Amino acid sequence: MKIGVYPGSFDPATYGHLDIIKRASQLVDYLIVGVLNNVRKKPLLTVEERIKLLQDITEDLDNVSVEAFSGLLVDFVKEKNANIIIRGLRAVTDFEYELQMAQVNQSLDKNIETIFLATSVQYSFLSSSLVKEIAKFGGNVDSLVPQKVSDYMKKKYI
Ligand code: ADP
């Protein structure tokens, strides 16, 4: 059984993330979206809020679940009996960091492979930071994030 982990901050989840989740869920038998509880980052949404939104937008995907993790990604991957890490690549700017992470994780556990999915072109400019920036100034993020996320962002900034 191929179990994949798609880790990230998802603060908040965007259509770019959802696209990767849908495509990755077709490549593995089971996909766990791992929401990073990073004490050093100051996220807008709590881990619980990010998980709930991800669960809402993936509810029609039978082989996908959403969980929080903290600490080393490879430890979470092993704990879940997974051996594939999924990451999305938007542009060359993502590449150096992503390659470094993949190589570090490979050196920590050679049985874990990182698979990169190229972003669908319409989402290549899209990031959670961009969504937060637009929402903060009252801009419309409906074309960038699923409806449930957009409703939540509106409430958050009122
Ligand atoms: P992190 O803090 O780990 O970068 P993010 O939530 O920003 O977490 O992203 C998680 C993963 O999703 C990363 O692999 C990132 O490259 C990918 N990703 C983010 N936005 C997009 C997008 N628009 N299209 C494809 N992949 C994306």
Side-chain angles (χ1 to χ4, degrees):
M1 174 128 148
K2 284 199 191 83
I3 303 178
V5 170
Y6 176 37
S9 307
F10 307 103
D11 185 40
T14 68
Y15 274 132
H17 293 130
L18 186 57
D19 177 59
I20 298 286
I21 293 172
K22 283 184 182 161
R23 289 161 55 204
S25 71
Q26 314 247 306
L27 296 176
V28 294
D29 298 304
Y30 195 78
L31 182 71
I32 299 162
V33 181
V35 180
L36 179 63
N37 194 359
N38 187 341
V39 283
R40 271 174 299 141
K41 273 195 183 177
K42 268 214 148 284
L44 172 72
L45 305 178
T46 64
V47 173
E48 292 74 23
E49 288 173 311
R50 287 180 271 153
I51 289 179
K52 175 75 174 69
L53 287 173
L54 278 161
Q55 281 170 339
D56 285 348
I57 65 176
T58 58
E59 66 185 355
D60 56 334
L61 300 171
D62 293 340
N63 65 339
V64 174
S65 68
V66 186
E67 289 183 39
F69 78 97
S70 51
L72 276 185
L73 174 60
V74 289
D75 289 340
F76 178 64
V77 171
K78 275 188 277 192
E79 184 193 307
K80 294 291 150 191
N81 289 318
N83 49 8
I84 296 169
I85 296 171
I86 304 281
R87 294 287 286 176
L89 278 183
R90 279 163 293 192
V92 218
T93 40
D94 282 341
F95 183 76
E96 205 166 299
Y97 172 73
E98 292 294 342
L99 181 67
Q100 192 185 21
M101 290 313 294
Q103 287 169 337
V104 165
N105 289 330
Q106 199 177 49
S107 75
L108 291 172
D109 191 325
K110 62 177 175 18
N111 297 313
I112 297 176
E113 284 293 354
T114 300
I115 295 182
F116 297 108
L117 295 186
T119 179
S120 297
V121 71
Q122 69 269 36
Y123 305 129
S124 57
F125 66 93
L126 184 49
S127 69
S128 300
S129 330
L130 183 76
V131 170
K132 281 183 277 194
E133 202 61 23
I134 296 173
K136 189 162 87 180
F137 295 110
N140 191 327
V141 293
D142 288 357
S143 60
L144 310 177
V145 297
Q147 189 65 50
K148 284 197 169 132
V149 178
S150 139
D151 291 346
Y152 203 84
M153 295 298 281
K154 278 177 202 144
K155 270 197 278 170
K156 197 87 192 169
Y157 279 114
I158 282 173

